Amino acid sequence: MGEFELIHNFFAAAPCAQGGEGVVLGIGDDCALLAVPAGEQLAVSTDTLVAGVHFADPCDPFLLGQRSLAVAVSDLAAMGATPVAFTLALTLPTVTAEWLQAYARGLNLMAQRCGVALVGGDTTRGPLSLTLTVFGRVPSAQALIRSGAQPGDLLCVGGELGNAAGALPLVLGQRTAAAAIAEPLLAHYWSPQPQLGLGQALRGKATAALDISDGLLADCGHIALASKVGIQVERDRLPLSNSLVAFLGQSGAEAAALSGGDDYVLAFSLPSVELAQLLAEGWPIHVVGQVVAGQGVVLLDACGQDITPQIRGYQHFRETP
Amino acid sequence: MGEFELIHNFFAAAPCAQGGEGVVLGIGDDCALLAVPAGEQLAVSTDTLVAGVHFADPCDPFLLGQRSLAVAVSDLAAMGATPVAFTLALTLPTVTAEWLQAYARGLNLMAQRCGVALVGGDTTRGPLSLTLTVFGRVPSAQALIRSGAQPGDLLCVGGELGNAAGALPLVLGQRTAAAAIAEPLLAHYWSPQPQLGLGQALRGKATAALDISDGLLADCGHIALASKVGIQVERDRLPLSNSLVAFLGQSGAEAAALSGGDDYVLAFSLPSVELAQLLAEGWPIHVVGQVVAGQGVVLLDACGQDITPQIRGYQHFRETP
């Protein structure tokens, strides 16, 4: 048995590979088999993380295990889907039992948290990279897509913005900070929490949604384009954490919230009549702007002046200064 | 717009991304949405191909486009599934329009042949590798799995064996051959034909099945292990092409058929009562052995003598002499 077959068997025996609702056949055959209940559809998304591009190399394999799955499952949250399963294609330069065990521990922990089962994959030798494909189920015609935003809708986000971008200089070892500041930022970077409950609560309410991976302004641009509307973001309504402001200052924190990547918080358009009930249910929703007729995204200050910076999405780890 | 967003848009506009039966929502949102008819299940498989490991680097991108999809879809054939869709995670060191266009041409051609639509993916910078995840639908409880082979079943394959392994010295430039010999071998290597029709015809008939990717002996070992049976392969019943025998000689051709990789021909166990009707329907089925009580795989000569070589699966391109 080759070492990559051993790895395959190692993952097949992992807790997250022990089935789950909707999994008819898991690891070990040519394909996995998933059951989709009548009246539901299957949501599918694929994400690749490459060492030195999407994460520092070397990095802590336990944290990478958590993060790699969380980032992928976040796309299911953005569709309002309920997670079912995932596949993992793992390419490794060398096989180290210690690395694999730590990676699998992080992966298992996030899989358990998200209610998702490992049903297949591939393990090969090569430069370190990970491709995860995630599967969720969503009632037919209720998935949250990007193209339904209407002028008059509120622009909302599901939590604080910019924390993961704020963590990046800490991850890269470019800066240090006191633990009280560094720890909450690093937690957002390494262990983002896919907003699955919020996504499901928004079904039939939000008119458009996505998860913020490229920064609020760039991602709002995706909604504006798909929905053929304009979007106004109000700088003074951005939800910023105390840690982020303490670390980067007010304007640095705003820049991280607007243009930093890796937040994996939901951004969505919501008719104003839907807001009160969702807030009453306790969802952490922040209104940060509105949808208008027109096109593109503008940033407004407290006086309603256009202060739009050059919008530039997060263009991969290596290119970050 | 970054160059990787341009690539994403390039693939989104490709013919194979223009929907298809079962595709509710294709490229462009956080997830694709697939519909699975009542009474059916979704079959899922993930394959990674790494440059220099699974294919020569550089290689012809058109041929790589064909082969990368065919190899993945072959797992759907092995389950008896009908292809629906696939995702492509493409990691590229540099972006070359010529390379991308040729790769997409090969991909589109194979997608059309297999009836499968590109519904999503990811494009990133890094060492060249491809991860494809394929989706098919199969009637509930009718998928061909590996674990049902019974003593008394015939061991069958769906076509000639060893041609792709025979092509490898040609692909690597280690040997040359006259076109009449080289071309059919190279066609098997670069453009394997997933046996989708045969897989579907075997539903409810074959007791176990898989597609041969690691060589007949190694893959029969997977069936034997999953089904808790023994398998006898008869050397003199191996279907070998004239080209392969002309190129490698009889014993070289037998070795390629038994232990060479990349055939992507189905191997399956079949109760003998099912054979006549399938042959009458014109399926290219060759009986190459039988399932017996016990465990493991043995190779028999014409006298029934055990001549089992040390069984060793194909262990990736780079390790091939």
Side-chain angles (χ1 to χ4, degrees):
Chain A
M1 191 183 290
E3 61 186 349
F4 284 93
E5 199 167 349
L6 286 171
I7 297 173
H8 182 84
N9 293 348
F10 172 75
F11 277 106
C16 61
Q18 303 314 305
E21 198 186 352
V23 178
V24 180
L25 185 68
I27 291 178
D29 217 297
D30 295 284
C31 293
L33 292 172
L34 304 179
V36 181
E40 304 206 5
Q41 294 169 341
L42 201 80
V44 176
S45 177
T46 292
D47 281 283
T48 297
L49 301 179
V50 178
V53 180
H54 299 94
F55 57 90
D57 185 22
C59 79
D60 182 322
F62 172 80
L63 296 174
L64 182 63
Q66 282 199 327
R67 183 163 187 268
S68 58
L69 183 57
V71 164
V73 169
S74 182
D75 282 318
L76 296 177
M79 297 299 277
T82 304
V84 173
F86 70 106
T87 62
L88 167 67
L90 181 61
T91 302
L92 286 172
T94 54
V95 176
T96 318
E98 196 181 4
W99 192 98
L100 279 172
Q101 281 162 4
Y103 179 80
R105 266 210 330 279
L107 192 75
N108 280 321
L109 189 66
M110 189 56 72
Q112 193 171 24
R113 198 176 286 166
C114 296
V116 74
L118 179 64
V119 295
D122 202 355
T123 316
T124 50
R125 186 185 300 284
L128 179 59
S129 82
L130 309 120
T131 295
L132 288 93
T133 303
V134 293
F135 310 100
R137 53 190 177 79
V138 61
S140 299
Q142 287 194 38
L144 306 175
I145 57 178
R146 297 180 175 186
S147 56
Q150 298 288 330
D153 287 349
L154 302 170
L155 176 71
C156 305
V157 296
E160 294 166 347
L161 301 178
N163 287 331
L168 205 56
L170 300 168
V171 172
L172 294 172
Q174 295 166 339
R175 287 187 60 182
T176 57
I181 289 175
E183 281 172 7
L185 299 180
L186 288 169
H188 273 87
Y189 182 85
W190 281 117
S191 184
Q193 304 297 317
Q195 297 198 292
L196 293 161
L198 176 60
Q200 292 162 30
L202 292 177
R203 287 183 200 152
K205 297 188 171 68
T207 52
L210 48 64
D211 63 321
I212 303 174
S213 54
D214 297 333
L216 179 65
L217 294 180
D219 282 316
C220 281
H222 296 144
I223 291 179
L225 190 66
S227 297
K228 299 185 175 66
V229 295
I231 290 181
Q232 297 175 333
V233 175
E234 299 178 44
R235 183 191 60 192
D236 292 1
R237 301 184 81 165
L238 296 173
L240 305 173
S241 72
N242 294 338
S243 302
L244 187 69
V245 174
F247 187 49
L248 296 182
Q250 180 69 26
S251 67
E254 286 167 358
L258 291 166
S259 303
D262 292 330
D263 274 324
Y264 302 105
V265 159
L266 297 189
F268 48 97
S269 57
L270 194 69
S272 55
V273 296
E274 304 287 1
L275 181 63
Q277 193 194 332
L278 286 164
L279 288 174
E281 290 170 5
W283 296 109
I285 296 175
H286 305 264
V287 177
V288 296
Q290 48 274 324
V291 180
V292 297
Q295 59 181 16
V297 179
V298 295
L299 181 66
L300 304 178
D301 70 8
C303 305
Q305 291 292 310
D306 182 345
I307 52 166
T308 312
Q310 190 182 345
I311 296 173
R312 179 176 164 282
Y314 183 66
Q315 290 279 349
H316 294 161
F317 193 87
R318 192 176 268 163
E319 297 168 34
T320 304
Chain B
M1 190 182 290
E3 61 186 348
F4 284 93
E5 198 166 352
L6 286 171
I7 298 173
H8 182 84
N9 293 348
F10 172 75
F11 279 106
C16 60
Q18 303 314 303
E21 198 187 351
V23 178
V24 180
L25 185 68
I27 292 178
D29 217 296
D30 295 285
C31 293
L33 292 173
L34 304 179
V36 181
E40 304 206 5
Q41 294 170 340
L42 202 79
V44 176
S45 177
T46 291
D47 281 284
T48 297
L49 301 179
V50 178
V53 180
H54 299 93
F55 57 90
D57 185 23
C59 78
D60 181 321
F62 171 79
L63 296 174
L64 182 63
Q66 283 199 328
R67 182 163 186 267
S68 59
L69 183 56
V71 165
V73 169
S74 181
D75 282 318
L76 296 177
M79 297 298 277
T82 304
V84 173
F86 71 105
T87 63
L88 168 67
L90 182 60
T91 302
L92 286 172
T94 54
V95 176
T96 317
E98 198 181 1
W99 193 98
L100 279 172
Q101 281 161 5
Y103 179 80
R105 265 208 332 280
L107 193 74
N108 280 321
L109 190 65
M110 189 55 72
Q112 195 171 20
R113 198 174 290 166
C114 297
V116 72
L118 179 63
V119 296
D122 201 354
T123 317
T124 50
R125 186 185 298 283
L128 179 59
S129 80
L130 310 117
T131 296
L132 288 93
T133 304
V134 293
F135 309 100
R137 54 190 176 78
V138 61
S140 299
Q142 287 194 39
L144 305 175
I145 57 177
R146 297 182 175 184
S147 55
Q150 297 288 331
D153 288 349
L154 301 170
L155 176 72
C156 305
V157 297
E160 294 165 348
L161 302 178
N163 288 330
L168 205 56
L170 301 167
V171 172
L172 294 172
Q174 295 167 338
R175 287 188 60 183
T176 56
I181 289 174
E183 281 171 8
L185 299 180
L186 288 167
H188 273 87
Y189 182 85
W190 281 118
S191 184
Q193 304 297 317
Q195 299 197 291
L196 293 162
L198 176 59
Q200 292 162 31
L202 292 177
R203 288 181 199 151
K205 296 189 172 70
T207 51
L210 48 64
D211 63 322
I212 302 174
S213 55
D214 296 334
L216 179 65
L217 294 181
D219 282 317
C220 282
H222 297 143
I223 291 180
L225 190 66
S227 297
K228 300 185 175 68
V229 295
I231 291 181
Q232 296 175 334
V233 176
E234 298 177 45
R235 183 192 60 192
D236 292 1
R237 302 184 82 164
L238 296 173
L240 305 172
S241 72
N242 294 336
S243 302
L244 187 68
V245 174
F247 187 49
L248 296 183
Q250 180 68 26
S251 67
E254 287 166 359
L258 291 166
S259 302
D262 292 329
D263 274 324
Y264 302 106
V265 160
L266 298 190
F268 48 97
S269 56
L270 194 68
S272 55
V273 295
E274 304 286 1
L275 181 64
Q277 194 195 333
L278 287 162
L279 289 173
E281 290 170 5
W283 296 111
I285 296 175
H286 305 263
V287 177
V288 296
Q290 48 275 324
V291 179
V292 296
Q295 60 182 15
V297 180
V298 295
L299 180 67
L300 304 180
D301 69 9
C303 306
Q305 290 294 311
D306 183 345
I307 52 167
T308 312
Q310 191 181 350
I311 295 173
R312 179 174 163 281
Y314 184 65
Q315 289 278 352
H316 294 160
F317 194 91
R318 191 175 270 163
E319 297 169 32
T320 303

